[in-house]
Amino acid sequence: MVTPLLTDLYQFTMAYAYWKAGKHNERAVFDLYFRKNPFGGEYTVFAGLEECIKFINANFKLAEDEIDFVRQSLSSSCEEGFFDYLRGVDCADVEVYAIQEGSVVFPKVPLVRVEGPIAVVQLLETSFLNLINYASLVSTNAARHRFVAGESKMLLEFGLRRAQGPDGGIAASRYCYMGGFHATR
């Protein structure tokens, strides 16, 4: 399960800076895009949106032990009020706009736009990048295999055997299907 700790310390440092300056609730807009296609290819298959939506709808709530971890990781000069703020952080005021998952996309075109309180959308950035980059990479690779094999060949993936953990294996199977594979074995 993805939690708000799937991020960089930098993101919590920035959220603290916004909070300290009293700007943490100011509205901000972030666009997620990429600079070049993977594998030196001509296109990318956009994937990972569903995981991002699940993350903000169900999993973006810091548990007390996660807040303690953040407290231990940040400077000891951080004020206690920031950790009180983190206890109440959620994505109720966050809006996400995106290209349809499974679409063919190209560099420098926004895939996802995230709008909301600046501290919250800052905390989402690394998680969204991680969820979308991996998913799009696997889907694009599968689509490239599908193109080379042609429509008449059945393609099966065996990703669970070599993936990094059970979540990676299940996710890779889903993204291979999205990229044009028929099934998993």
Side-chain angles (χ1 to χ4, degrees), residues 2-178:
V2 178
T3 77
L5 291 185
L6 179 66
T7 192
D8 308 303
L9 181 58
Y10 164 80
Q11 306 297 12
F12 281 102
T13 303
M14 290 301 298
Y16 179 70
Y18 297 135
W19 178 85
K20 182 79 172 149
K23 297 181 180 238
H24 57 288
N25 287 322
E26 287 186 12
R27 194 126 181 107
V29 177
F30 287 96
D31 286 337
L32 187 149
Y33 66 94
F34 61 96
R35 291 185 178 92
K36 57 185 197 175
N37 290 311
F39 313 112
E42 304 276 329
Y43 62 89
T44 298
V45 177
F46 172 55
L49 178 62
E50 183 177 333
E51 285 71 23
C52 291
I53 300 304
K54 285 179 184 176
F55 176 55
I56 65 171
N57 285 339
N59 300 335
F60 195 84
K61 185 74 177 151
L62 284 151
E64 198 59 40
D65 61 328
E66 293 171 324
I67 292 170
D68 288 341
F69 178 79
V70 173
R71 179 185 285 111
Q72 293 167 10
S73 300
L74 289 174
S75 169
S76 60
S77 64
C78 285
E79 297 174 27
E80 187 60 33
F82 176 65
F83 303 108
D84 292 336
Y85 162 73
L86 289 178
R87 285 182 185 90
V89 165
D90 62 29
C91 292
D93 294 328
V94 172
E95 296 176 39
V96 176
Y97 304 90
I99 291 174
Q100 183 176 350
E101 192 169 33
S103 296
V104 172
V105 295
F106 303 96
K108 301 177 185 166
V109 175
L111 307 174
V112 177
R113 171 168 282 173
V114 183
E115 299 180 8
I118 193 166
V120 176
V121 296
Q122 183 80 50
L123 292 172
L124 292 173
E125 180 186 24
T126 299
S127 302
F128 272 39
L129 287 169
N130 178 273
L131 293 167
I132 289 170
N133 286 341
Y134 171 74
S136 296
L137 182 73
V138 174
S139 292
T140 302
N141 194 33
R144 289 169 57 93
H145 282 83
R146 166 52 58 212
F147 179 76
V148 170
E151 291 297 323
S152 64
K153 301 281 193 258
M154 179 176 276
L155 294 179
L156 306 173
E157 63 82 31
F158 289 81
L160 191 56
R161 296 173 181 210
R162 290 181 181 76
Q164 280 66 50
D167 291 342
I170 300 301
S173 295
R174 179 175 187 271
Y175 303 131
C176 282
Y177 181 78
M178 188 178 291

